[in-house]
């Protein structure tokens, strides 16, 4: 049924009422859009965002306040014209992230007047732009995390359960959460080895959440990271137990393997992790999500509650835990908490967009499952264009929180935020 007579039943991707009617057409349109994308990357400028338009409805959430609004010209994935602005005219704190530094395919588009193309003349002076090889950084950190996970969960008796644990834990993945944990630790002056137990613990719990999320009683998915889900290989009974084992071992590992961190800080880490996944954290988001399928009166506040708890809270815990073990001050930790809350929500917004614009082969998991299950998502509620705008705004809000830190040390988190915004799977 069209949302108004003007649509004529054609299915407007920006109308929540029409959105469900044309998944195939939506994906085809997105691929066509991708062929027209501008392949320029950007210099992200830290500092206050430009004045925002009031044309977008206020966002009723404590995260941004009642005056939150979006710039109508922000468009992720659009063929925006390049902007040439002399380096000398930029604010003091700038970052350069070039397309060659990303090991994954990324749509490269300028977002707003605070994101400028990297085609600047070398004669421009006045600002020192740190060079950062994000591809090299992510490959090195992912390798370190994978090695640490492999050592933390070796094969032992009973072999069946440990094989199932390792099957999902070592099945690849982007390792975004461990990287965020390590980057936050290093940002406040800590070392990678100090954060590694916490980083591994977060990834163990994330893996647990995926195993359980894929079960027939939950999302009932057969594909994860391009391979059959845990219960399809080991059965539902072993999959449940593998997730339980990873959950409990995560706490054992962070408590026993962390070195050179005071007992008080270690207790804070354990509490942070426990709160993130409990009945007021990840579990809360999952429960509300499960019971929201088919609802017609779900608003932005309800949707954000689901995803702040189901997705953002674990990314937040990863960053905060890293900052705690790294010796960060309370002020630094809270700034990083706000940064993480924004990118956590950003992660889910992008996830929702990809779910309706990419194929299962491109995603490495079943595409369109939320639509088929009649779950509420950002594209369903806002439409694709407004969802992109929201993602762009979340990225800017996140990077604002890093403006008081050393720019060189902040580069990994800035780059990870941009990667989350532009990822393609």
């Amino acid at each position: 049924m069209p949302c108004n007579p003007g649509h004529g039943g054609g299915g407007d991707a920006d109308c929540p009422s029409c959105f469900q009617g044309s998944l195939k057409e939506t994906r085809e349109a997105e691929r066509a859009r991708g062929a027209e994308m501008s392949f320029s990357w950007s210099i992200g400028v830290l500092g206050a965002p430009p004045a925002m338009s009031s044309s977008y409805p206020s966002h009723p959430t404590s995260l941004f306040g009642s005056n939150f609004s979006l710039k109508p010209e922000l468009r992720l994935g659009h063929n925006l014209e390049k902007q040439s602005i002399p380096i000398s005219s930029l604010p003091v704190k700038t970052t350069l992230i070039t397309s060659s530094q990303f090991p994954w395919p990324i749509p490269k588009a300028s977002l707003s007047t605070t994101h400028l193309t990297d085609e600047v003349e070398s004669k421009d002076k006045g600002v020192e732009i740190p060079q950062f090889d994000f591809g090299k950084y992510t490959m090195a950190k992912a390798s370190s995390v994978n090695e640490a996970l492999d050592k933390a969960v070796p094969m032992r008796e009973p072999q069946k359960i440990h094989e199932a644990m390792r099957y999902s834990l070592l099945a690849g993945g982007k390792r975004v959460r461990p990287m965020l944990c390590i980057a936050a630790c290093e940002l406040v002056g800590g070392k990678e080895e100090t954060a590694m137990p916490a980083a591994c613990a977060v990834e163990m719990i994330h893996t647990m959440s995926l195993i359980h999320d894929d079960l027939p009683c939950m999302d009932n998915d057969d594909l994860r990271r391009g391979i059959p889900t845990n219960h399809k290989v080991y059965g539902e009974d072993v999959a449940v137990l593998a997730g339980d084992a990873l959950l409990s071992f995560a706490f054992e590992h962070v408590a026993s393997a962390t070195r050179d961190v005071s007992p008080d800080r270690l207790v804070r880490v354990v509490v942070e992790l426990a709160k993130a996944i409990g009945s007021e954290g990840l579990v809360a988001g999952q429960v509300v999500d499960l019971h929201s399928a088919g609802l017609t009166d779900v608003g932005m506040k309800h949707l954000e509650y689901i995803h702040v708890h189901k997705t953002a809270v674990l990314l937040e815990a990863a960053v905060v835990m890293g900052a705690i073990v790294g010796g960060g001050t309370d002020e630094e930790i809270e700034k990083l908490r706000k940064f993480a809350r924004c990118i956590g929500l950003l992660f889910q917004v992008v996830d929702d967009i990809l779910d309706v614009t990419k194929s299962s082969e491109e995603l490495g998991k079943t595409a369109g499952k939320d639509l088929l299950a009649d779950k509420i998502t950002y594209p369903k509620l806002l439409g694709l264009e407004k969802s992109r705008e929201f993602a762009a705004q979340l990225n800017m809000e996140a990077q604002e929180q890093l403006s008081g830190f050393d720019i060189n040390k902040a580069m990994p988190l800035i780059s990870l935020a941009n990667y989350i915004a532009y990822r393609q799977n």
Side-chain angles (χ1 to χ4, degrees):
M1 177 178 179
C3 62
N4 66 55
H7 289 168
D12 184 350
D14 273 332
C15 171
S17 300
C18 291
F19 181 73
Q20 297 184 68
S22 185
L23 178 59
K24 182 178 179 181
E25 292 178 11
T26 299
R27 288 195 177 121
E28 289 175 351
E30 286 302 303
R31 290 192 180 96
R33 185 200 307 280
E36 299 175 356
M37 285 179 185
S38 170
F39 278 79
S40 62
W41 192 237
S42 65
I43 298 173
V45 182
L46 294 179
M52 299 178 190
S53 167
S54 59
S55 62
Y56 191 79
S58 294
H59 182 61
T61 168
S62 59
L63 180 60
F64 296 105
S66 60
N67 294 323
F68 173 77
S69 60
L70 299 170
K71 287 195 69 179
E73 68 268 26
L74 294 179
R75 292 290 189 272
L76 284 175
H78 276 238
N79 184 19
L80 301 183
E81 293 184 3
K82 297 179 180 180
Q83 304 173 64
S84 297
I85 300 180
I87 285 291
S88 56
S89 69
L90 299 179
V92 174
K93 295 182 178 178
T94 63
T95 63
L96 178 62
I97 308 167
T98 63
S99 59
S100 62
Q101 294 167 351
F102 286 79
W104 306 282
I106 298 170
K108 311 168 188 78
S110 298
L111 296 180
S112 72
T113 54
T114 61
H115 286 72
L116 318 173
T117 64
D118 59 1
E119 295 184 354
V120 293
E121 298 181 13
S122 59
K123 65 181 180 179
D124 290 324
K125 304 294 181 182
V127 175
E128 182 179 351
I129 305 174
Q131 299 295 312
F132 181 67
D133 191 333
F134 183 54
K136 182 178 180 181
Y137 176 88
T138 55
M139 285 188 285
K141 295 302 183 187
S143 177
S144 296
V145 169
N146 288 334
E147 182 179 351
L149 289 170
D150 186 33
K151 290 180 179 179
V153 186
M155 279 299 297
R156 61 182 71 166
E157 295 293 337
Q159 289 199 10
K160 192 71 168 182
I161 191 66
H162 289 93
E163 182 183 325
M165 291 164 67
R166 287 171 58 85
Y167 174 81
S168 294
L169 185 63
L170 304 178
K174 296 172 280 290
R175 307 305 189 200
V176 170
R177 291 157 190 81
M179 286 186 201
L180 287 168
C181 183
I182 294 168
C185 177
E186 293 176 332
L187 176 60
V188 297
K191 298 179 180 179
E192 177 185 303
E193 54 266 31
T194 304
M196 189 59 76
C200 288
V202 169
E203 191 67 6
M204 291 174 195
I205 289 175
H206 173 55
T207 302
M208 172 277 296
S209 73
L210 299 182
I211 294 173
H212 285 180
D213 202 43
D214 291 335
L215 289 169
C217 64
M218 303 284 272
D219 280 2
N220 192 23
D221 215 332
D222 296 341
L223 191 67
R224 175 70 68 176
R225 292 172 174 170
I227 60 175
T229 49
N230 199 288
H231 70 274
K232 299 299 291 184
V233 177
Y234 297 98
E236 292 179 42
D237 50 357
V238 174
V240 170
L241 294 173
D244 292 346
L246 285 169
L247 173 61
S248 60
F249 185 65
F251 288 95
E252 177 186 339
H253 185 67
V254 72
S256 63
T258 304
R259 300 286 182 269
D260 302 321
V261 174
S262 70
D264 287 348
R265 284 186 177 265
L266 192 52
V267 169
R268 287 176 66 185
V269 165
V270 171
V271 171
E272 187 72 32
L273 188 56
K275 287 175 62 179
I277 62 176
S279 61
E280 294 182 340
L282 188 153
V283 170
Q286 184 71 46
V287 168
V288 175
D289 186 32
L290 285 171
H291 289 86
S292 296
L295 296 182
T296 58
D297 59 346
V298 175
M300 191 71 168
K301 189 173 182 179
H302 183 99
L303 181 59
E304 184 174 301
Y305 179 90
I306 292 173
H307 294 310
V308 162
H309 291 80
K310 185 179 177 182
T311 302
V313 71
L314 194 54
L315 279 91
E316 179 182 329
V319 171
V320 171
M321 289 164 64
I324 292 172
V325 299
T329 65
D330 288 345
E331 181 181 359
E332 289 173 331
I333 291 169
E334 286 311 304
K335 289 191 72 173
L336 287 170
R337 184 185 296 280
K338 292 176 182 177
F339 163 82
R341 183 65 62 91
C342 288
I343 63 167
L345 197 53
L346 169 64
F347 194 98
Q348 186 61 52
V349 176
V350 173
D351 231 31
D352 284 357
I353 293 170
L354 294 176
D355 189 59
V356 296
T357 60
K358 298 293 179 181
S359 67
S360 297
E361 291 74 22
E362 290 170 311
L363 294 178
K365 60 183 180 180
T366 305
K369 63 177 184 178
D370 289 339
L371 186 65
L372 293 173
D374 199 22
K375 284 192 173 183
I376 187 67
T377 65
Y378 284 98
K380 183 178 178 181
L381 185 63
L382 301 177
L384 282 171
E385 295 307 309
K386 294 299 184 185
S387 296
R388 290 193 184 93
E389 293 170 7
F390 188 30
Q393 185 60 43
L394 286 167
N395 191 13
M396 287 197 296
E397 292 281 348
Q399 294 193 37
E400 255 188 51
Q401 300 302 319
L402 302 177
S403 61
F405 291 97
D406 182 296
I407 185 64
N408 292 285
K409 291 183 177 180
M411 283 302 299
L413 288 180
I414 294 169
S415 302
L416 283 164
N418 282 326
Y419 164 65
I420 289 170
Y422 296 118
R423 65 195 176 92
Q424 293 292 282
N425 57 34

